[in-house]
Amino acid sequence: MRLPVILKILGILMMLFSFTMLPPLAISLAYDDGQWNRFADAMAIVFVGGLFVWAPFHSEHGDLRVRDGFLVTTLFWVVLSVAGSIPFYLSNDAPHTYIDALFEAVSGLTTTGATVITGIDQLPHSILWYRQQLQWLGGMGIIVLAVAILPMLGIGGMQLYRAEVPGPVKDNKLTPRIAETAKALWYIYVSLTIACAVAYWIAGMSWFDAIGHSFSTVAIGGFSTHDASIGYFNSPAIELIAVVFMVLSGANFALHFMAWRQRNVLLYWGDSEFKLYIGALAGVSLVTILVLIATNTLPPLEAVTQGMFQVVSLATTTGFATADFSVWPLMLPFLLFVMSFMGGCAASTGGGIKVVRMLLIFRQGSREMKRLLHPNAVMPVKLGNRPVSDRVLQAVWGFFSVYMFMFLVLLVILQATGLDQVTAWTAVGATMNNLGPGLGEVTYHYGTLNDVAKWVLCFAMLLGRLEVFTLLVLFTPAFWRR
């Protein structure tokens, strides 16, 4: 294990991250909200800390091995979550306990959108901006940006990319060089963000709200500058824009890249994962709308707009709200929450298990039933026209089993802290799926939970963001064995 190179990388990333304090510092000065010195202090602390970590190893060079990539990825999220918590902790208007500050930072960087803050409308503009910005930076994974820079410093980034990018097949690169891949992903990401912000502004948001909500929409984060979330604006046009960009951001960014490069939108409909993704959103939206109308919960037009919005918001693990779905009738609260387990597509900013894994699990299960009738038949599992290797299928099942095992372990721990079953079940699901809102005590915020539960849920958010294996592999003896 190349510990000097790993520490050099962490030092560089900390110093780079310190400069992300400049935009909220500028916002503070522009709005005169009295927070600029907190951001200046936080920037200095993070930069100097990174400098001390980097300086002893600044002359180290070399490529990372696979296990180095796992370690630096996990350390990156942990260290930057701690660094990101500093402005919250120093501010007089944000969470006052350290665990609350850390919870908010972890939630932002992992694009979970779970918050411990109430009275969001009264927060200083700079804190509001900073919360949204954290989600935007975490949305694609800051490491994907960093691998475009680290090769210039003599450090290869392919291992980082493999550890960070979500999905079961991680060796496929969009372009020959990893740096070019990172740049391609970020061009798409930034373009979607700008388009989303402009659309929100045209629909009636202020520039501040439009940019802030574009950050959390494209990042599939769910933080808002208002307590009422998207419902604050009471605008069908804004809700429709949010739906469009949530759907786009929950799709595979590699697919966006290929469609853009070939100038062919028909590529989307040739992708099995995308078809299931759209089909699931459309099907559950239809069921939700029909139930809302049949039970006279909402007028037909509101049932269509709010039903579709909440399905897309929860299924893509964004977590925006226009209504309190927890009080909707029959099975709807449970159905909508369970949709978050599917989450977005692979290589998207969404959370959850990912659509392609659910598709492969279903197809493999279907194959096993057919084998009962035809035990000697050769029936490969396919994605599109390509057979999927057994190695990938084993990885998918391994991921699913470990995911559910960790879900049960964390659920039992939360119940042991005194939380009721509904709150504990949905809190674990909402944080592991990087969704945000749950049911019970965590329908609106997580501020009333005990400190032990918040620590556990911070771990759950990191576990979900790093797709379980990247984090858990560090706890195996084999990882540390020479």
Side-chain angles (χ1 to χ4, degrees):
M1 190 173 297
R2 300 180 60 84
L3 189 59
V5 176
I6 291 172
L7 291 174
K8 175 184 175 180
I9 292 172
L10 282 179
I12 292 170
L13 293 175
M14 287 177 67
M15 288 188 285
L16 289 174
F17 184 76
S18 70
F19 290 104
T20 66
M21 308 290 179
L22 287 174
L25 191 154
I27 293 292
S28 179
L29 292 173
Y31 284 93
D32 192 25
D33 63 10
Q35 299 294 312
W36 70 268
N37 55 333
R38 273 81 176 186
F39 286 103
D41 292 342
M43 181 178 176
I45 292 169
V46 176
F47 184 85
V48 172
L51 185 63
F52 272 106
V53 174
W54 169 82
F57 310 105
H58 69 279
S59 60
E60 294 288 337
H61 295 281
D63 285 332
L64 294 173
R65 301 182 180 92
V66 172
R67 67 176 64 196
D68 298 332
F70 288 124
L71 180 59
V72 77
T73 300
T74 302
L75 286 177
F76 165 81
W77 283 100
V78 172
V79 170
L80 262 61
S81 293
V82 172
S85 69
I86 295 174
F88 291 128
Y89 187 65
L90 295 179
S91 174
N92 296 327
D93 299 280
H96 294 298
T97 64
Y98 181 71
I99 179 54
D100 282 350
L102 181 65
F103 186 98
E104 200 75 11
V106 173
S107 180
L109 281 172
T110 58
T111 73
T112 304
T115 184
V116 294
I117 300 175
T118 56
I120 293 172
D121 292 272
Q122 285 72 51
L123 288 177
H125 282 80
S126 56
I127 295 293
L128 291 174
W129 176 281
Y130 181 63
R131 291 173 77 243
Q132 307 301 110
Q133 178 183 279
L134 278 179
Q135 291 206 318
W136 190 75
L137 291 172
M140 268 300 281
I142 308 174
I143 291 181
V144 176
L145 174 63
V147 295
I149 300 170
L150 295 181
M152 295 185 294
L153 305 172
I155 301 166
M158 188 59 209
Q159 288 79 10
L160 293 181
Y161 179 75
R162 293 180 62 220
E164 167 63 14
V165 173
V169 185
K170 301 187 180 186
D171 289 326
N172 294 335
K173 295 185 286 186
L174 309 183
T175 54
R177 292 172 58 98
I178 182 60
E180 295 302 316
T181 298
K183 289 175 185 176
L185 293 174
W186 270 88
Y187 286 147
I188 297 168
Y189 192 62
V190 171
S191 298
L192 281 176
T193 304
I194 294 171
C196 184
V198 171
Y200 277 146
W201 177 71
I202 292 173
M205 282 190 185
S206 67
W207 270 114
F208 184 86
D209 281 340
I211 295 173
H213 284 88
S214 72
F215 284 172
S216 54
T217 303
V218 176
I220 304 291
F223 273 164
S224 175
T225 53
H226 301 282
D227 286 297
S229 190
I230 294 292
Y232 171 87
F233 303 99
N234 193 27
S235 169
I238 288 174
E239 293 169 20
L240 179 60
I241 290 167
V243 166
V244 169
F245 281 95
M246 284 189 290
V247 170
L248 288 174
S249 301
N252 190 320
F253 272 62
L255 193 58
H256 290 325
F257 177 82
M258 297 304 294
W260 170 78
R261 189 168 69 174
Q262 297 184 25
R263 305 292 192 273
N264 184 9
V265 296
L266 295 179
L267 285 176
Y268 289 102
W269 303 112
D271 185 81
S272 301
E273 182 187 28
F274 187 80
K275 286 190 288 187
L276 175 59
Y277 171 62
I278 295 298
L281 293 179
V284 176
S285 293
L286 180 61
V287 170
T288 301
I289 291 166
L290 292 176
V291 171
L292 291 175
I293 293 174
T295 57
N296 294 316
T297 303
L298 293 172
L301 183 58
E302 286 186 35
V304 171
T305 57
Q306 293 193 19
M308 180 174 63
F309 182 92
Q310 288 303 144
V311 168
V312 172
S313 177
L314 294 171
T316 60
T317 71
T318 310
F320 280 144
T322 56
D324 183 359
F325 78 97
S326 67
V327 298
W328 282 358
L330 305 180
M331 76 299 185
L332 288 185
F334 180 79
L335 173 64
L336 267 61
F337 184 81
V338 166
M339 282 294 291
S340 71
F341 282 83
M342 179 186 76
C345 298
S348 75
T349 55
I353 292 173
K354 299 294 186 298
V355 177
V356 69
R357 287 196 181 98
M358 303 299 283
L359 178 61
L360 289 174
I361 287 171
F362 173 80
R363 288 186 175 176
Q364 189 180 14
S366 177
R367 180 180 69 170
E368 294 309 311
M369 286 191 289
K370 291 177 183 177
R371 277 181 170 173
L372 293 175
L373 302 174
H374 308 283
N376 296 321
V378 177
M379 293 174 284
V381 174
K382 292 184 177 181
L383 274 180
N385 296 318
R386 293 176 300 171
V388 179
S389 70
D390 286 341
R391 174 69 186 88
V392 171
L393 293 175
Q394 290 167 8
V396 169
W397 275 107
F399 173 89
F400 184 75
S401 60
V402 173
Y403 188 96
M404 297 311 299
F405 176 76
M406 290 306 302
F407 182 93
L408 293 174
V409 170
L410 296 176
L411 171 61
V412 170
I413 294 173
L414 280 197
Q415 288 186 297
T417 69
L419 298 186
D420 64 89
Q421 185 172 346
V422 172
T423 299
W425 190 84
T426 57
V428 174
T431 49
M432 279 190 70
N433 294 331
N434 302 130
L435 167 64
L439 300 172
E441 197 176 332
V442 294
T443 300
Y444 302 108
H445 62 84
Y446 289 67
T448 58
L449 299 187
N450 60 76
D451 286 353
V452 174
K454 290 173 185 174
W455 281 107
V456 171
L457 294 178
C458 283
F459 177 80
M461 288 187 274
L462 290 170
L463 194 65
R465 178 60 196 175
L466 295 174
E467 299 221 334
V468 183
F469 285 141
T470 305
L471 180 57
L472 291 185
V473 73
L474 302 186
F475 294 92
T476 62
F479 180 84
W480 301 101
R481 208 172 287 139
R482 287 184 179 274

